[in-house]
Amino acid sequence: MQEPTFLILTALASGPLHGYGVIQEVAALSAGDVQLRAGTLYGALDRLAEQDLIKVDREEAVDGRLRRYYRLTDGGAGVLTTEVERLQRNAAAAATRLRLRGSGGLAMLGLAPLGSGGAE
């Protein structure tokens, strides 16, 4: 799963948001590293809705413009949960290897440290 998709689903996990709210939440969740443009966001929202990971919660007219709120579906929550678990496993594996790095612990795992003939 691409990071913007993960962050959009994460933003919607706490409740329905309109497009600009999603943009703000994604920026906050990523500490400003991911800045979604409106065109990118709405393309992603359409794709996620087609996959039944999100759906339109409601629409409101604000200053003569339609504001559409999106929410995470149960299926979307399941996909997000699976991705969170995958990322946690990967992060734990990386943390373990960093702790073992340089202590000879990688050799105990049958792994060569980077820069010693292993792949970099």
Side-chain angles (χ1 to χ4, degrees), residues 1-9 26 34 36 40 44 47-48:
M1 177 181 294
Q2 297 293 319
E3 184 177 25
T5 300
F6 176 80
L7 291 170
I8 291 167
L9 294 176
V26 165
V34 177
L36 294 175
T40 302
R47 179 179 48 81
L48 294 169

Side-chain angles (χ1 to χ4, degrees), residues 41-118:
L41 172 68
Y42 288 105
L45 291 173
D46 288 343
R47 179 179 48 81
L48 294 169
E50 287 173 10
Q51 295 171 351
D52 199 32
L53 301 179
I54 66 169
K55 68 187 311 183
V56 174
D57 183 68
R58 67 185 184 280
E59 295 177 336
E60 294 178 353
V62 178
D63 296 329
R65 296 184 64 177
L66 191 62
R67 181 177 286 172
R68 185 172 289 161
Y69 286 76
Y70 297 87
R71 69 173 176 83
L72 194 63
T73 63
D74 289 343
V79 166
L80 182 58
T81 298
T82 299
E83 185 66 6
V84 166
E85 291 167 352
R86 184 188 72 81
L87 290 170
Q88 287 174 332
R89 282 191 312 273
N90 290 346
T96 297
R97 292 193 179 199
L98 284 170
R99 280 192 304 274
L100 295 172
R101 183 175 188 258
S103 69
L106 287 176
M108 289 187 294
L109 294 176
L111 303 169
L114 292 179
S116 65

